Amino acid sequence: MSERVYIFDTTLRDGEQSPGCSMDFTEKLEMARQLERLRVDILEAGFPIASQGDFEAVKAIASEIRTPIVAALARANQLDIDRAWEAIRDAERPRIHTFLSTSDIHLKYKLHKTREEILKQISWAVGHAKSCCADVEFSPEDAGRTDRDYLIECCHAAVEAGATVLNLPDTVGYCLEPEYERLFADVKSRLPGMDKVILSTHSHDDLGLAVANTLAGIRGGARQVECAINGIGERAGNAALEEVVMALYVREDALGVHTEICREELFASSRLLTRLTGVAVQRNKAIVGLNAFSHEAGIHQDGVLKNAITYEIITPQTVGLPSNQIVLGKHSGRHALAKRFEELGYQLAKPELERAYQLFTQLADRKKNIYDEDLVAIVREGFQHLPEMYSLKLLQSVTSTEGRSTATLELEKDGSVFHDSATAEGPCDAAFRALDRITGLPGVISDFSVHTVGPGNDGVAEVSIRARFQGCEFTGKSTSHSVVEAATRAYLQAANKAAYEARRREEQGAALASRSVHEKEAVDRLLPGGY
Ligand code: KIV
Ligand code: ZN
């Protein structure tokens, strides 16, 4: 049996902190549950000191997620480490991941500290983390550009203080493969006590080398790899988890290592992240892109029909890609639906199945062919537990090539129905304006993305929206056969969150009115800035 490489997923930390990829509390939990299904070994849940919202999400993940190690990031200081520990102390297997820059560039321009001071800080911080938690990982930030002898001194200090995992990040994505491989080989051969330590890779994709460098790190001796679903992360991103996992699987013969990831969950993980963040992967993205398994050229199609091995090194089923066959139609019943969901990996409880069935029949009325992707979209869409103050009763949209569009909306709130109309340049904008008039909460769209789920002209539109209401940003997502309806529902979801938050703040404000100004300021600081 080949040696095992541990998969450290940083989708919810390095990934989530990148622009456009932020998730709210519920979304982070949903993603964490999927990462557990994917069987990642270590799940980095966030950076608890960064905000109250991050702290709460990490805490909730640590209490719920049982199988993977749950890690929290902390800079090498007491406040950060204590906050990280507070967030993960309920985890089945908690890990504190602390880091400090070690390259001369960072010491001189960012930290204004000497090498001696950094060494002392590493010893102290790792020691303090160790006094809270048995499992401590240390990262010398910018290891890729750190003087080798000094890096080994820093690693030595961390191991002496109790670190059992040493991550050697190429923070700025600068290293070439042979250099990154050498880095690991050097540390492995020169660091005393290496038998008790796992070395870890952490590559960034600034030169498009993150996955290649991750594999180089493994060749050099790393047995943990840090990566993120769809390769999201700071700037150009981290190494894409699905690419690393599949490279290790397909080329185990050459690399001599394996992972214990549930590969059939790769596609679902990628799709879920796209839905939660609204950031889609490009069609030709390896492993999870829409084109990854399509064959266009006649010669290729001919070969694949004769035997898929001619042009396919991975079958779509290996990564859990739905088969694309027509599976269900409008006459299918709950039983068939439940069975198909089971095959797709969803064990639905009775009320969930009922909800899925309603959505399914609505869709089947409008759409002849229901594909597996449609079912995945239904189940993901239908089970979001969002506060819904307003629900959509009716949407009428009139659009013309000649001029402006008009939308009429009916929304229900607490048993009463409200309706209004608006006119704007496009049909979606008209629907948003009509909705604003009813809720009294005008929103400004900051991000709008739409893509189709399912093949051909029969696909379902999936719309993700980010909008600002009263200075705070909220997100919404929805799927429908009609783009205007999906966009309206997504916008309504964001508006519902805004209305819910406005009410929460109002209630909080009333409760605080009787308290001192000092106390109020303290609580305000703890209120999250938005979703
Ligand atoms: O890129 C980096 O150096 C990091 C560290 C915090 C590990 O993300
Ligand atoms: Zn990073």
Side-chain angles (χ1 to χ4, degrees), residues 13-14 202 204 238:
R13 201 278 297 166
D14 210 323
H202 181 110
H204 279 271
N238 287 93

Side-chain angles (χ1 to χ4, degrees), residues 395-399 404-410 419-438:
L395 161 67
Q396 246 167 14
S397 171
V398 180
T399 191
R404 293 161 70 80
S405 304
T406 304
T408 302
L409 280 189
E410 264 182 32
H419 50 93
D420 216 322
S421 305
T423 301
E425 289 298 324
C428 295
D429 205 25
F432 300 163
R433 298 298 70 92
L435 206 146
D436 287 352
R437 289 163 72 107
I438 299 176

Side-chain angles (χ1 to χ4, degrees), residues 324-346:
N324 255 358
Q325 296 148 2
I326 303 160
V327 287
L328 296 164
K330 72 197 263 182
H331 301 297
S332 309
R334 288 175 180 73
H335 189 193
L337 189 65
K339 183 151 187 317
R340 190 66 198 124
F341 273 126
E342 240 175 80
E343 285 161 7
L344 290 170
Y346 299 98

Side-chain angles (χ1 to χ4, degrees), residues 16-25 27 276-279 386 441-448 464-477 490-502 504-505 527-531:
E16 202 265 348
Q17 79 194 36
S18 65
C21 291
S22 54
M23 287 172 247
D24 66 26
F25 178 89
E27 291 166 339
L276 294 177
T277 58
V279 178
L386 298 169
L441 278 174
V444 179
I445 301 285
S446 49
D447 199 24
F448 182 106
S464 305
I465 276 177
R466 245 168 230 285
R468 273 197 163 270
F469 295 86
Q470 299 182 320
C472 284
E473 205 164 64
F474 298 89
T475 58
K477 282 128 206 158
Y491 187 75
L492 176 61
Q493 209 177 73
N496 265 326
K497 288 178 180 175
Y500 180 79
E501 181 64 6
R504 197 179 71 83
R505 280 172 187 255
L527 289 175
Y531 287 81

Side-chain angles (χ1 to χ4, degrees), residues 62 65-68 70 88-94:
I65 298 299
R66 297 285 94 179
T67 323
V70 176
I88 54 165
R89 59 187 315 153
D90 294 334
E92 188 85 21
R93 294 192 293 154

Side-chain angles (χ1 to χ4, degrees), residues 334 349-359:
R334 288 175 180 73
K350 231 177 163 193
E352 290 172 336
L353 179 62
E354 201 46 49
R355 170 93 176 113
Y357 185 70
Q358 278 166 20
L359 294 170

Side-chain angles (χ1 to χ4, degrees), residues 345-418:
Y346 299 98
Q347 311 279 347
L348 301 190
K350 231 177 163 193
E352 290 172 336
L353 179 62
E354 201 46 49
R355 170 93 176 113
Y357 185 70
Q358 278 166 20
L359 294 170
F360 165 74
T361 49
Q362 280 166 22
L363 191 62
D365 264 347
R366 287 175 287 163
K367 187 173 188 288
K368 203 165 98 219
N369 301 334
I370 306 284
Y371 296 90
D372 286 347
E373 290 96 331
D374 299 325
L375 297 180
V376 172
I378 281 176
V379 85
R380 301 275 194 227
E381 168 65 17
F383 305 148
Q384 284 197 78
H385 304 294
L386 298 169
E388 199 181 61
M389 286 172 84
Y390 295 91
S391 58
L392 183 64
K393 290 276 131 210
L394 175 88
L395 161 67
Q396 246 167 14
S397 171
V398 180
T399 191
S400 133
T401 49
E402 295 301 309
R404 293 161 70 80
S405 304
T406 304
T408 302
L409 280 189
E410 264 182 32
L411 300 184
E412 187 183 308
K413 184 189 174 203
D414 302 331
S416 311
V417 175
F418 303 86

